[in-house]
């Protein structure tokens, strides 16, 4: 697909649903299956908030090895790229239109974007430099929600199915075939919205998946070889509105979108146990959904799921908070 590039600059306005269905990240490091990478620090003059295009309906965010954030659109699947130093951006990629949203997304070290297609049931890959769609994988998903990258695969959650989709990666991250991995063990699949954000354990041995149903909402540690899930011990903490996950070292940021908060945990190396550190709230939060890091900041899109009928002129923005 031929990408469209439309310039967009911050305005003087400060833009301020719950996802119609309810509805991060550090770059890959070395050969560890699941780890995080630090970035060069941002300058104090970089904006701590900047607008996204009107009517955008953002949900996912990803930041790679350079200070640019990519945002998907639930409305039409387009991709917007913003310069974190200025807050200015362009529409990098024209999506496949209504019915083909971009929900979660990640960029790999080679500049390739991996896109979750929501209720289109698709996985997609795109060129992060030109925005061109490379390939569409019709996996028959119900709501392909979020994605995390490991050296050997891109892993996608499905909100209404007890499965993960594994897009196998070859040399230099080249996508190959898709495998469906059933979730078992302690996994509890609700009648409605269940799986959401996905991350990696600090030691790289397993995956972490938000389950909004099990025991009032929490995390499942999933063996990527078998799909066997075990509940992560978070003490008394619960994630009933858990959305995007961001792992920095052993610190896990879990966005609780409907609560306008980020709950922060300290994990053990294997990701079997987490201790609540703090909750981050901010008056600028307007139903944030996912998170990505640059320097000492965590960036989040405000999805504004409280707006029942988004319009073409509905305002959206992204905000940054300091890391714990």
């Amino acid at each position: 697909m031929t990408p469209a590039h439309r310039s967009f600059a911050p305005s003087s306005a400060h833009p301020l649903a719950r996802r119609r269905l309810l509805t991060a990240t550090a770059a890959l490091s070395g050969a560890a299956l699941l780890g995080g990478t630090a970035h060069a620090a941002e300058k104090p003059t970089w904006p701590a908030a900047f607008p996204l295009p009107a009517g955008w309906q953002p949900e996912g965010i990803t930041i790679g090895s350079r200070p640019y954030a990519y945002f998907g659109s639930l409305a039409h699947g387009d991709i917007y790229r913003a310069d974190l130093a200025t807050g200015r951006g362009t529409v990098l990629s024209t999506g496949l239109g209504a019915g083909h949203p971009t929900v979660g997304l990640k960029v790999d070290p080679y500049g390739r974007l991996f896109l979750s297609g929501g209720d289109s049931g698709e996985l997609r890959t795109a060129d992060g430099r030109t925005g061109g769609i490379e390939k569409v994988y019709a996996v028959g998903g119900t709501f392909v929600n979020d994605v995390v990258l490991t050296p050997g695969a891109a892993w996608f959650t499905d909100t209404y199915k007890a499965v993960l989709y594994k897009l196998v990666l070859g040399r230099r991250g080249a996508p190959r075939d898709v495998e469906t991995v059933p979730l078992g063990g302690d996994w509890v699949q609700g009648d409605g919205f269940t799986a959401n954000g996905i991350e990696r354990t600090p030691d790289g041995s397993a995956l972490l998946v938000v389950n909004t149903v099990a025991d009032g909402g929490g995390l499942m540690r999933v063996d990527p070889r078998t799909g066997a899930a075990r509940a992560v011990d978070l003490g008394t903490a619960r994630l009933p509105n858990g959305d995007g996950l961001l792992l920095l070292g052993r610190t896990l940021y879990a966005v609780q979108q409907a609560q306008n908060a980020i709950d922060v945990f300290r994990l053990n190396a294997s990701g079997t146990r987490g201790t609540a550190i703090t909750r981050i709230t901010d008056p600028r939060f307007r139903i944030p959904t996912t998170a990505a890091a640059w320097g000492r900041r965590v960036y989040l899109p405000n999805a504004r799921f409280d707006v029942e009928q988004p319009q073409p002129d509905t305002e959206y923005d992204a905000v940054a908070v300091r890391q714990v």
Side-chain angles (χ1 to χ4, degrees):
M1 173 174 288
T2 302
H5 295 266
R6 300 196 296 274
S7 295
F8 186 81
S11 69
S12 59
H14 292 279
L16 308 161
R18 170 179 172 108
R19 182 177 302 163
R20 302 304 165 274
L21 305 170
L22 177 66
T23 124
T25 212
L28 294 174
S29 63
L33 174 60
L34 319 167
T37 298
H39 294 112
E42 78 285 348
K43 297 184 183 300
T45 55
W46 289 15
F50 50 85
L52 302 177
W56 190 255
Q57 297 184 45
E59 204 282 347
I61 180 176
T62 185
I63 299 171
S65 59
R66 301 178 63 196
Y68 295 93
Y70 298 82
F71 301 88
S73 171
L74 296 178
H76 33 59
D78 293 1
I79 305 297
Y80 181 76
R81 182 174 63 191
D83 185 335
L84 299 179
T86 65
R88 296 177 180 270
T90 60
V91 176
L92 175 70
S93 173
T94 299
L96 301 180
H100 299 271
T102 295
V103 192
L105 70 166
K106 292 293 182 292
V107 61
D108 73 6
Y110 308 105
R112 178 178 285 109
L113 289 163
F114 295 79
L115 313 174
S116 303
D119 54 9
S120 70
E122 302 166 346
L123 323 177
R124 299 190 295 273
T125 61
D127 188 316
R129 291 170 290 270
T130 68
I133 300 295
E134 294 180 339
K135 191 165 183 179
V136 178
Y137 299 83
V139 296
T142 58
F143 191 91
V144 184
N145 194 323
D146 206 355
V147 55
V148 69
L149 300 179
T150 70
W155 294 86
F156 297 79
T157 58
D158 191 314
T159 292
Y160 296 104
K161 280 186 177 180
V163 300
L164 297 177
Y165 303 111
K166 177 185 180 182
L167 176 55
V168 179
L169 304 179
R171 190 169 180 269
R172 294 182 61 83
R176 293 182 177 174
D177 299 325
V178 177
E179 302 174 3
T180 299
V181 179
L183 293 169
D186 293 340
W187 186 264
V188 177
Q189 185 65 35
D191 294 333
F193 193 96
T194 303
N196 204 327
I198 184 170
E199 248 296 355
R200 304 152 292 177
T201 57
D203 67 0
S205 62
L207 301 164
L208 298 171
V209 180
V210 171
N211 186 307
T212 63
V213 175
D215 196 24
L219 291 178
M220 291 286 180
R221 182 185 184 276
V222 178
D223 185 330
R225 298 166 300 174
T226 66
R230 295 291 180 266
V232 177
D233 180 2
L234 298 179
T236 59
R238 296 292 179 267
L239 300 174
N241 305 119
D243 202 324
L245 300 176
L246 170 64
L247 181 70
L248 300 176
R250 291 193 184 184
T251 302
L252 182 72
Y253 296 78
V255 183
Q256 294 244 55
Q257 37 115 320
Q259 299 182 32
N260 282 317
I262 309 169
D263 285 336
V264 186
F265 300 89
R266 177 73 173 177
L267 300 180
N268 64 351
S270 60
T272 60
R273 184 174 65 256
T275 301
I277 298 173
T278 190
R279 166 170 280 199
I280 301 172
T281 59
D282 192 291
R284 299 170 300 158
F285 285 174
R286 304 282 178 145
I287 318 290
T289 43
T290 49
W294 183 269
R296 292 296 303 166
R297 289 178 175 179
V298 173
Y299 290 84
L300 308 95
N302 276 320
R304 301 193 65 190
F305 290 146
D306 55 332
V307 178
E308 290 295 329
Q309 296 293 331
Q311 301 299 315
D313 60 351
T314 300
E315 294 178 317
Y316 294 95
D317 68 345
V319 298
V321 296
R322 301 298 294 178
Q323 293 180 25
V324 173

